[in-house]
Coordinates of all heavy atoms in Angstrom, one line a residue:
M6 N 0.9 -1.2 0.0 CA 0.0 0.0 0.0 C 0.9 1.3 0.0 O 0.6 2.2 -0.7 CB -0.9 -0.1 1.3 CG -1.9 1.1 1.3 SD -3.1 1.0 0.0 CE -4.0 2.4 0.2
R7 N 1.9 1.3 0.7 CA 2.8 2.5 0.8 C 3.5 2.7 -0.5 O 3.6 3.8 -1.0 CB 3.9 2.2 1.9 CG 3.4 2.5 3.3 CD 4.5 2.4 4.2 NE 4.1 2.7 5.6 CZ 4.8 2.6 6.7 NH1 6.0 2.2 6.5 NH2 4.4 2.9 7.8
R8 N 3.8 1.5 -1.2 CA 4.5 1.7 -2.5 C 3.6 2.4 -3.5 O 3.9 3.2 -4.3 CB 5.0 0.4 -3.0 CG 6.3 0.0 -2.4 CD 6.8 -1.2 -3.1 NE 8.0 -1.7 -2.4 CZ 8.5 -2.9 -2.7 NH1 8.0 -3.7 -3.6 NH2 9.5 -3.3 -2.0
F9 N 2.3 1.9 -3.5 CA 1.3 2.4 -4.3 C 1.1 3.9 -4.2 O 1.0 4.7 -5.1 CB 0.0 1.6 -4.2 CG -1.2 2.2 -4.9 CD1 -1.2 2.1 -6.3 CD2 -2.2 3.0 -4.3 CE1 -2.3 2.6 -7.1 CE2 -3.1 3.5 -5.1 CZ -3.2 3.3 -6.5
L10 N 1.0 4.3 -2.9 CA 0.9 5.7 -2.6 C 2.0 6.5 -3.0 O 1.9 7.6 -3.5 CB 0.7 5.8 -1.1 CG -0.2 7.0 -0.6 CD1 -1.6 7.0 -1.3 CD2 -0.5 6.9 0.9
A11 N 3.3 6.0 -2.8 CA 4.5 6.7 -3.2 C 4.5 6.9 -4.7 O 4.8 7.9 -5.2 CB 5.7 5.9 -2.7
V12 N 4.1 5.8 -5.4 CA 4.2 5.9 -6.9 C 3.1 6.9 -7.4 O 3.3 7.6 -8.3 CB 3.9 4.6 -7.5 CG1 3.6 4.5 -9.0 CG2 5.1 3.6 -7.2
L13 N 1.9 6.9 -6.8 CA 0.8 7.8 -7.2 C 1.3 9.1 -6.9 O 1.1 10.0 -7.8 CB -0.4 7.4 -6.3 CG -1.6 8.3 -6.6 CD1 -2.1 8.1 -8.0 CD2 -2.7 8.0 -5.6
L14 N 1.8 9.6 -5.8 CA 2.3 10.8 -5.5 C 3.4 11.3 -6.4 O 3.5 12.5 -6.9 CB 2.8 10.9 -4.1 CG 1.7 10.9 -3.0 CD1 2.3 10.9 -1.6 CD2 0.7 12.1 -3.1
L15 N 4.3 10.4 -6.7 CA 5.4 10.8 -7.6 C 4.8 11.0 -9.1 O 5.2 12.0 -9.8 CB 6.4 9.5 -7.8 CG 7.6 9.8 -8.7 CD1 8.4 11.0 -8.2 CD2 8.4 8.5 -8.7
T16 N 3.8 10.2 -9.5 CA 3.2 10.4 -10.8 C 2.5 11.8 -10.9 O 2.6 12.5 -11.9 CB 2.1 9.3 -11.1 OG1 2.9 8.0 -11.0 CG2 1.5 9.4 -12.5
V17 N 1.8 12.1 -9.8 CA 1.1 13.4 -9.8 C 2.1 14.6 -9.8 O 1.9 15.6 -10.6 CB 0.2 13.5 -8.5 CG1 -0.3 14.9 -8.3 CG2 -0.9 12.5 -8.7
A18 N 3.2 14.4 -9.1 CA 4.2 15.5 -9.1 C 4.8 15.6 -10.4 O 5.1 16.8 -10.9 CB 5.3 15.2 -8.0
V19 N 5.1 14.6 -11.1 CA 5.8 14.7 -12.4 C 4.8 15.2 -13.5 O 5.2 16.1 -14.3 CB 6.3 13.3 -12.8 CG1 6.7 13.2 -14.3 CG2 7.5 12.8 -12.0
S20 N 3.6 14.8 -13.4 CA 2.6 15.3 -14.4 C 2.3 16.9 -14.1 O 2.1 17.6 -15.0 CB 1.3 14.6 -14.4 OG 0.7 14.7 -13.1
A21 N 2.4 17.2 -12.9 CA 2.3 18.6 -12.6 C 3.4 19.5 -13.0 O 3.3 20.6 -13.6 CB 2.1 18.9 -11.1
G22 N 4.6 18.9 -13.0 CA 5.8 19.6 -13.5 C 5.7 19.7 -15.1 O 6.2 20.7 -15.6
A23 N 5.2 18.7 -15.7 CA 5.1 18.7 -17.1 C 4.1 19.8 -17.6 O 4.2 20.4 -18.6 CB 4.8 17.3 -17.6
Q24 N 3.1 19.9 -16.9 CA 1.9 20.8 -17.2 C 2.6 22.3 -17.1 O 2.2 23.0 -18.0 CB 0.8 20.7 -16.3 CG -0.4 21.7 -16.5 CD -1.0 21.4 -17.8 OE1 -1.0 20.4 -18.4 NE2 -1.6 22.4 -18.3
N25 N 3.4 22.6 -16.2 CA 4.0 23.9 -16.0 C 4.9 24.1 -17.1 O 5.0 25.3 -17.5 CB 4.8 23.9 -14.6 CG 3.8 24.1 -13.4 OD1 2.7 24.3 -13.7 ND2 4.3 23.7 -12.3
D26 N 5.6 23.1 -17.7 CA 6.5 23.3 -18.8 C 5.8 23.8 -20.0 O 6.3 24.5 -20.9 CB 7.4 22.1 -19.0 CG 8.4 21.9 -17.9 OD1 8.7 22.9 -17.3 OD2 9.0 20.8 -17.9
R27 N 4.6 23.2 -20.3 CA 3.8 23.6 -21.4 C 3.3 25.1 -21.4 O 3.2 25.7 -22.5 CB 2.5 22.7 -21.5 CG 2.9 21.3 -21.9 CD 1.6 20.5 -22.1 NE 1.8 19.2 -21.7 CZ 1.0 18.4 -21.1 NH1 -0.1 18.9 -20.7 NH2 1.4 17.2 -20.7
N28 N 3.1 25.6 -20.2 CA 2.7 27.0 -20.1 C 3.9 28.0 -20.0 O 3.6 29.2 -19.8 CB 1.8 27.1 -18.8 CG 0.5 26.3 -19.0 OD1 0.1 26.0 -20.1 ND2 0.0 25.9 -17.8
A29 N 5.1 27.5 -20.0 CA 6.2 28.3 -19.8 C 6.4 29.2 -20.9 O 6.2 28.9 -22.1 CB 7.5 27.5 -19.7
P30 N 6.8 30.5 -20.7 CA 7.1 31.4 -21.9 C 8.4 31.0 -22.6 O 9.2 30.3 -22.0 CB 7.3 32.8 -21.2 CG 7.6 32.5 -19.8 CD 7.0 31.1 -19.4
K31 N 8.4 31.4 -23.8 CA 9.6 31.1 -24.6 C 10.8 31.8 -24.1 O 10.6 32.9 -23.4 CB 9.5 31.4 -26.0 CG 8.4 30.7 -26.8 CD 8.4 31.0 -28.2 CE 7.3 30.1 -28.9 NZ 7.2 30.5 -30.4
R32 N 12.0 31.2 -24.2 CA 13.2 31.9 -23.7 C 13.5 33.0 -24.6 O 13.3 33.0 -25.8 CB 14.4 30.9 -23.7 CG 14.3 29.8 -22.5 CD 15.6 29.1 -22.4 NE 15.5 28.2 -21.3 CZ 16.6 27.8 -20.7 NH1 17.8 28.2 -20.9 NH2 16.4 26.9 -19.7
P33 N 14.1 34.1 -24.0 CA 14.5 35.2 -24.9 C 15.6 34.7 -25.9 O 16.3 33.7 -25.6 CB 15.1 36.2 -23.9 CG 14.4 35.9 -22.7 CD 14.2 34.4 -22.7
R34 N 15.8 35.5 -26.9 CA 16.9 35.2 -28.0 C 18.2 34.9 -27.3 O 18.6 35.6 -26.4 CB 17.0 36.3 -28.9 CG 15.7 36.6 -29.7 CD 16.0 37.8 -30.7 NE 16.8 38.9 -30.1 CZ 16.3 39.9 -29.4 NH1 15.0 39.9 -29.3 NH2 17.0 40.8 -28.9
A35 N 18.9 33.9 -27.9 CA 20.2 33.5 -27.3 C 21.2 34.6 -27.5 O 22.1 34.7 -26.7 CB 20.7 32.1 -27.9
A36 N 21.0 35.4 -28.5 CA 22.0 36.4 -28.8 C 22.0 37.5 -27.8 O 23.0 38.1 -27.4 CB 21.7 37.1 -30.1
A37 N 20.8 37.7 -27.2 CA 20.7 38.7 -26.1 C 21.2 38.2 -24.8 O 21.5 39.1 -23.8 CB 19.2 39.1 -26.0
I38 N 21.3 37.0 -24.6 CA 21.7 36.4 -23.3 C 23.2 35.8 -23.6 O 23.4 35.0 -24.4 CB 20.8 35.2 -22.8 CG1 19.4 35.7 -22.8 CG2 21.2 34.7 -21.5 CD1 19.1 36.8 -21.8
S39 N 24.1 36.2 -22.7 CA 25.5 35.8 -22.8 C 25.7 34.2 -22.5 O 26.3 33.5 -23.2 CB 26.4 36.6 -21.9 OG 26.0 36.5 -20.6
D40 N 24.9 33.8 -21.4 CA 25.0 32.4 -21.1 C 23.6 31.9 -20.8 O 23.0 32.5 -19.8 CB 25.9 32.2 -19.9 CG 26.0 30.8 -19.4 OD1 25.5 29.9 -20.1 OD2 26.6 30.6 -18.3
T41 N 23.0 31.1 -21.5 CA 21.6 30.7 -21.3 C 21.3 29.8 -20.1 O 20.2 29.5 -19.8 CB 21.2 29.9 -22.6 OG1 21.9 28.8 -22.8 CG2 21.1 30.8 -23.8
N42 N 22.4 29.4 -19.4 CA 22.2 28.7 -18.1 C 22.6 29.5 -16.9 O 22.8 29.0 -15.8 CB 23.1 27.4 -18.2 CG 22.5 26.4 -19.1 OD1 21.4 26.2 -19.2 ND2 23.4 25.8 -19.9
D43 N 22.7 30.8 -17.1 CA 23.0 31.8 -16.0 C 21.8 32.5 -15.7 O 21.3 33.4 -16.5 CB 24.2 32.6 -16.5 CG 24.7 33.6 -15.4 OD1 24.4 33.3 -14.2 OD2 25.3 34.6 -15.7
A44 N 21.3 32.4 -14.4 CA 20.2 33.2 -14.0 C 20.4 34.6 -14.0 O 19.6 35.5 -14.3 CB 19.7 32.7 -12.6
R45 N 21.6 35.0 -13.6 CA 22.0 36.5 -13.6 C 21.9 37.1 -15.0 O 21.5 38.3 -15.1 CB 23.3 36.8 -13.0 CG 23.5 36.4 -11.5 CD 23.2 37.8 -10.8 NE 23.0 37.5 -9.4 CZ 22.1 38.0 -8.7 NH1 21.4 39.0 -9.1 NH2 22.0 37.8 -7.3
A46 N 22.3 36.4 -16.0 CA 22.2 36.9 -17.3 C 20.7 37.2 -17.7 O 20.4 38.3 -18.4 CB 22.8 36.0 -18.4
Y47 N 19.9 36.3 -17.3 CA 18.4 36.6 -17.6 C 17.9 37.7 -16.8 O 17.0 38.5 -17.2 CB 17.6 35.3 -17.3 CG 17.6 34.2 -18.3 CD1 18.4 33.2 -18.2 CD2 17.0 34.4 -19.5 CE1 18.4 32.1 -19.2 CE2 17.0 33.5 -20.5 CZ 17.8 32.4 -20.4 OH 17.9 31.3 -21.3
L48 N 18.3 37.8 -15.6 CA 17.9 38.9 -14.7 C 18.4 40.3 -15.3 O 17.6 41.3 -15.4 CB 18.6 38.8 -13.3 CG 18.0 39.7 -12.3 CD1 16.5 39.4 -12.0 CD2 18.8 39.6 -11.0
V49 N 19.7 40.4 -15.8 CA 20.2 41.7 -16.4 C 19.3 42.0 -17.7 O 19.0 43.0 -17.9 CB 21.6 41.4 -16.7 CG1 22.2 42.6 -17.5 CG2 22.4 41.4 -15.4
F50 N 19.1 40.9 -18.5 CA 18.3 41.1 -19.7 C 16.9 41.6 -19.4 O 16.4 42.5 -20.0 CB 18.3 39.9 -20.5 CG 17.4 40.0 -21.7 CD1 17.8 40.5 -22.9 CD2 16.1 39.4 -21.7 CE1 17.0 40.6 -24.0 CE2 15.3 39.5 -22.9 CZ 15.9 40.1 -24.1
G51 N 16.3 41.0 -18.3 CA 14.9 41.5 -18.0 C 14.9 42.9 -17.5 O 14.0 43.6 -17.8
K52 N 15.9 43.3 -16.7 CA 16.0 44.7 -16.3 C 16.2 45.7 -17.5 O 15.6 46.8 -17.4 CB 17.2 44.9 -15.3 CG 16.9 44.3 -14.0 CD 18.1 44.5 -13.0 CE 18.0 43.9 -11.7 NZ 19.1 44.1 -10.9
R53 N 17.0 45.2 -18.4 CA 17.2 46.1 -19.6 C 16.0 46.2 -20.5 O 15.7 47.3 -21.1 CB 18.3 45.5 -20.4 CG 19.2 46.4 -21.1 CD 20.4 45.7 -21.8 NE 20.1 44.3 -21.9 CZ 21.0 43.3 -22.3 NH1 22.2 43.8 -22.6 NH2 20.7 42.1 -22.4
E54 N 15.1 45.1 -20.6 CA 14.0 45.2 -21.4 C 12.7 45.7 -20.8 O 11.7 45.7 -21.4 CB 13.7 43.8 -21.9 CG 14.8 43.2 -23.0 CD 14.8 44.0 -24.2 OE1 13.6 44.2 -24.8 OE2 15.7 44.5 -24.7
F55 N 12.7 45.9 -19.5 CA 11.5 46.1 -18.7 C 10.7 47.3 -19.2 O 9.5 47.1 -19.4 CB 11.9 46.4 -17.3 CG 10.7 46.5 -16.3 CD1 10.1 45.4 -15.9 CD2 10.1 47.8 -16.1 CE1 9.0 45.6 -15.0 CE2 9.1 47.9 -15.2 CZ 8.4 46.8 -14.8
E56 N 11.2 48.4 -19.5 CA 10.4 49.5 -20.0 C 10.0 49.4 -21.4 O 9.0 49.8 -21.9 CB 11.2 50.8 -19.8 CG 11.2 51.2 -18.3 CD 11.8 52.6 -18.0 OE1 11.6 53.5 -18.9 OE2 12.4 52.8 -17.0
R57 N 10.9 48.8 -22.2 CA 10.7 48.7 -23.7 C 9.7 47.6 -24.0 O 8.8 47.8 -24.8 CB 12.0 48.6 -24.5 CG 11.8 48.7 -26.0 CD 13.1 48.7 -26.6 NE 13.5 47.2 -26.6 CZ 14.6 46.8 -27.1 NH1 15.5 47.5 -27.5 NH2 14.9 45.5 -27.0
D58 N 9.9 46.5 -23.4 CA 9.0 45.3 -23.7 C 8.8 44.4 -22.5 O 9.5 43.5 -22.1 CB 9.7 44.4 -24.8 CG 8.8 43.3 -25.3 OD1 7.7 43.2 -24.8 OD2 9.3 42.5 -26.2
P59 N 7.8 44.8 -21.7 CA 7.6 44.1 -20.4 C 7.2 42.6 -20.6 O 7.6 41.8 -19.7 CB 6.3 44.8 -19.9 CG 6.1 46.1 -20.6 CD 6.8 45.9 -21.8
R60 N 6.7 42.1 -21.7 CA 6.5 40.7 -21.9 C 7.8 39.9 -21.9 O 7.9 38.8 -21.5 CB 5.6 40.5 -23.0 CG 4.1 41.0 -22.8 CD 3.2 40.5 -23.8 NE 1.9 41.0 -23.7 CZ 0.9 40.5 -23.0 NH1 1.2 39.4 -22.2 NH2 -0.3 41.2 -22.9
A61 N 8.7 40.5 -22.7 CA 10.0 39.9 -22.8 C 10.7 39.9 -21.5 O 11.4 38.9 -21.1 CB 10.9 40.6 -23.9
A62 N 10.6 41.0 -20.7 CA 11.2 41.1 -19.4 C 10.6 40.0 -18.5 O 11.3 39.3 -17.7 CB 11.0 42.5 -18.8
M63 N 9.3 39.8 -18.6 CA 8.6 38.9 -17.8 C 9.1 37.5 -18.1 O 9.3 36.6 -17.2 CB 7.1 38.9 -18.0 CG 6.3 38.0 -17.1 SD 4.5 38.3 -17.1 CE 4.1 38.2 -18.9
A64 N 9.3 37.1 -19.4 CA 9.8 35.8 -19.7 C 11.3 35.6 -19.2 O 11.6 34.6 -18.7 CB 9.8 35.6 -21.3
A65 N 12.1 36.7 -19.3 CA 13.4 36.6 -18.8 C 13.4 36.4 -17.3 O 14.3 35.6 -16.7 CB 14.2 37.9 -19.2
F66 N 12.6 37.1 -16.6 CA 12.5 36.9 -15.1 C 12.0 35.5 -14.8 O 12.4 34.9 -13.8 CB 11.6 38.0 -14.5 CG 12.2 39.3 -14.5 CD1 11.4 40.4 -14.9 CD2 13.5 39.6 -14.1 CE1 12.0 41.7 -14.9 CE2 14.0 40.9 -14.2 CZ 13.2 42.0 -14.5
Y67 N 11.1 35.0 -15.6 CA 10.6 33.6 -15.3 C 11.7 32.6 -15.5 O 11.9 31.8 -14.6 CB 9.5 33.3 -16.3 CG 9.1 31.9 -16.3 CD1 8.2 31.4 -15.4 CD2 9.7 30.9 -17.3 CE1 7.7 30.0 -15.4 CE2 9.4 29.6 -17.2 CZ 8.4 29.1 -16.3 OH 8.0 27.8 -16.3
W68 N 12.5 32.8 -16.4 CA 13.6 31.8 -16.7 C 14.8 32.0 -15.6 O 15.4 31.1 -15.2 CB 14.2 31.8 -18.1 CG 13.2 31.2 -19.0 CD1 12.3 31.8 -19.9 CD2 13.0 29.8 -19.2 NE1 11.6 30.8 -20.5 CE2 11.9 29.6 -20.1 CE3 13.4 28.7 -18.5 CZ2 11.4 28.3 -20.4 CZ3 13.0 27.4 -18.9 CH2 12.0 27.3 -19.8
A69 N 15.0 33.2 -15.1 CA 15.9 33.4 -14.1 C 15.4 32.7 -12.9 O 16.3 32.1 -12.1 CB 16.1 34.9 -13.9
A70 N 14.1 32.8 -12.5 CA 13.6 32.1 -11.3 C 13.6 30.6 -11.5 O 13.9 29.9 -10.6 CB 12.1 32.6 -11.2
R71 N 13.5 30.1 -12.7 CA 13.5 28.7 -12.9 C 15.0 28.1 -12.7 O 15.2 27.1 -12.2 CB 13.2 28.3 -14.3 CG 11.7 28.4 -14.7 CD 10.9 27.3 -13.9 NE 11.4 26.0 -14.4 CZ 10.6 25.1 -15.0 NH1 9.3 25.3 -15.3 NH2 11.1 23.9 -15.3
L72 N 16.0 28.9 -13.1 CA 17.4 28.5 -13.1 C 17.9 28.7 -11.7 O 18.7 27.9 -11.3 CB 18.2 29.3 -14.0 CG 18.0 29.1 -15.5 CD1 18.8 30.0 -16.4 CD2 18.4 27.5 -15.9
D73 N 17.4 29.7 -10.9 CA 17.8 29.9 -9.5 C 16.6 30.2 -8.7 O 16.3 31.4 -8.6 CB 18.9 31.1 -9.5 CG 19.4 31.2 -8.0 OD1 19.1 30.4 -7.2 OD2 20.3 32.0 -7.8
P74 N 16.0 29.2 -8.2 CA 14.7 29.5 -7.4 C 14.9 30.3 -6.1 O 13.9 30.7 -5.6 CB 14.3 28.0 -7.0 CG 15.0 27.2 -8.1 CD 16.2 27.7 -8.4
T75 N 16.1 30.4 -5.7 CA 16.4 31.2 -4.5 C 16.5 32.8 -4.8 O 16.6 33.6 -3.8 CB 17.6 30.8 -3.7 OG1 18.7 31.0 -4.7 CG2 17.5 29.3 -3.4
M76 N 16.5 33.1 -6.0 CA 16.6 34.6 -6.4 C 15.3 35.3 -6.3 O 14.4 35.2 -7.2 CB 17.2 34.6 -7.7 CG 17.5 36.0 -8.3 SD 18.0 36.1 -10.0 CE 19.5 35.0 -10.0
A77 N 15.1 35.9 -5.2 CA 13.8 36.7 -4.9 C 13.6 37.8 -6.0 O 12.4 38.1 -6.3 CB 13.8 37.2 -3.6
E78 N 14.7 38.4 -6.4 CA 14.7 39.5 -7.3 C 13.9 39.1 -8.7 O 13.2 39.9 -9.3 CB 16.0 40.1 -7.6 CG 15.9 41.4 -8.3 CD 17.4 42.0 -8.4 OE1 18.4 41.4 -7.9 OE2 17.6 43.2 -8.9
A79 N 14.1 37.9 -9.1 CA 13.5 37.3 -10.3 C 12.0 37.3 -10.2 O 11.3 37.6 -11.0 CB 14.1 36.0 -10.7
Y80 N 11.5 36.8 -9.0 CA 10.1 36.7 -8.8 C 9.4 38.1 -8.6 O 8.4 38.3 -9.2 CB 9.8 35.9 -7.4 CG 10.2 34.5 -7.5 CD1 11.4 34.0 -6.9 CD2 9.5 33.6 -8.2 CE1 11.7 32.7 -6.8 CE2 9.9 32.2 -8.3 CZ 11.0 31.8 -7.5 OH 11.3 30.5 -7.6
Y81 N 10.1 39.0 -8.0 CA 9.5 40.3 -7.9 C 9.6 41.0 -9.3 O 8.6 41.6 -9.7 CB 10.3 41.2 -7.0 CG 9.8 42.6 -6.8 CD1 8.7 42.9 -6.1 CD2 10.5 43.6 -7.4 CE1 8.2 44.1 -5.9 CE2 10.0 45.0 -7.3 CZ 8.9 45.2 -6.6 OH 8.4 46.5 -6.5
G82 N 10.6 40.8 -10.1 CA 10.6 41.4 -11.4 C 9.6 40.8 -12.3 O 8.9 41.5 -13.2
Q83 N 9.4 39.5 -12.1 CA 8.2 38.8 -12.9 C 6.9 39.4 -12.6 O 6.0 39.7 -13.5 CB 8.2 37.4 -12.7 CG 7.4 36.6 -13.5 CD 7.5 35.0 -13.3 OE1 8.2 34.6 -12.4 NE2 6.9 34.2 -14.1
Y84 N 6.6 39.7 -11.3 CA 5.4 40.2 -10.9 C 5.3 41.7 -11.5 O 4.2 42.1 -11.9 CB 5.4 40.3 -9.3 CG 4.3 41.1 -8.7 CD1 2.9 40.6 -8.7 CD2 4.5 42.4 -8.2 CE1 1.9 41.3 -8.2 CE2 3.4 43.1 -7.7 CZ 2.2 42.5 -7.6 OH 1.2 43.3 -7.1
A85 N 6.3 42.5 -11.3 CA 6.3 43.8 -11.8 C 6.1 43.9 -13.4 O 5.3 44.7 -13.8 CB 7.6 44.5 -11.4
A86 N 6.7 43.0 -14.0 CA 6.6 43.0 -15.5 C 5.3 42.6 -15.9 O 4.7 43.1 -16.8 CB 7.7 42.1 -16.2
A87 N 4.6 41.7 -15.1 CA 3.2 41.3 -15.4 C 2.3 42.4 -15.2 O 1.4 42.7 -16.1 CB 2.8 40.1 -14.6
N88 N 2.5 43.2 -14.2 CA 1.6 44.4 -14.0 C 1.9 45.4 -15.0 O 0.9 46.1 -15.5 CB 1.9 45.0 -12.6 CG 1.2 44.2 -11.5 OD1 0.3 43.4 -11.7 ND2 1.7 44.3 -10.3
A89 N 3.1 45.6 -15.4 CA 3.4 46.7 -16.4 C 2.8 46.3 -17.8 O 2.4 47.2 -18.6 CB 4.9 46.8 -16.5
S90 N 2.8 44.9 -18.1 CA 2.3 44.5 -19.5 C 0.8 44.6 -19.5 O 0.2 44.5 -20.6 CB 2.8 43.2 -19.8 OG 2.3 42.2 -18.9
D91 N 0.1 44.6 -18.4 CA -1.3 44.6 -18.3 C -2.0 46.0 -18.6 O -3.2 46.1 -18.8 CB -1.9 44.1 -17.0 CG -1.8 42.5 -16.9 OD1 -1.6 42.0 -18.1 OD2 -1.9 42.0 -15.9
R92 N -1.1 47.1 -18.5 CA -1.6 48.3 -18.6 C -2.0 48.6 -20.1 O -1.3 48.2 -21.0 CB -0.6 49.4 -18.3 CG -0.3 49.4 -16.9 CD 0.7 50.4 -16.5 NE 1.0 50.2 -15.1 CZ 2.2 50.7 -14.5 NH1 3.0 51.4 -15.2 NH2 2.4 50.6 -13.3
G93 N -3.2 49.1 -20.3 CA -3.7 49.2 -21.7 C -3.8 50.7 -22.0 O -4.2 51.4 -22.6

């Protein structure tokens, strides 16, 4: 019974992670990012693009948070970019 429960919980966790990947924004252009595996590079790109293109900044902050989940600045930037892009 414990094994069944463990397998069930693992399956649910993996499927939830796969669902999040489908909704993920596209990564910004590789030419704009010096190292695509560096969260700081995405953070710098997001700050640079914030006023000109808030949606690109939001995607950059999203990927910065994915690469380094402990970076609070990326989450705050994503929130701020989402609010800036909703202004009509």
Side-chain angles (χ1 to χ4, degrees):
M6 183 67 180
R7 283 185 176 173
R8 281 188 187 168
F9 174 74
L10 211 51
V12 170
L13 180 65
L14 289 174
L15 183 62
T16 304
V17 169
V19 168
S20 66
Q24 180 67 23
N25 288 341
D26 287 344
R27 286 186 215 139
N28 297 333
K31 292 183 179 181
R32 285 191 182 210
R34 297 179 319 270
I38 306 293
S39 57
D40 180 9
T41 57
N42 288 321
D43 182 20
R45 287 269 168 219
Y47 282 104
L48 190 67
V49 169
F50 177 77
K52 287 179 181 180
R53 217 177 10 192
E54 291 291 312
F55 185 81
E56 286 188 32
R57 193 175 71 182
D58 187 3
R60 290 190 188 273
M63 187 170 52
F66 291 134
Y67 171 83
W68 285 106
R71 287 288 300 245
L72 291 171
D73 185 3
T75 63
M76 186 185 298
E78 195 173 0
Y80 293 108
Y81 181 75
Q83 190 176 4
Y84 170 76
N88 282 338
S90 67
D91 283 343
R92 292 182 184 158

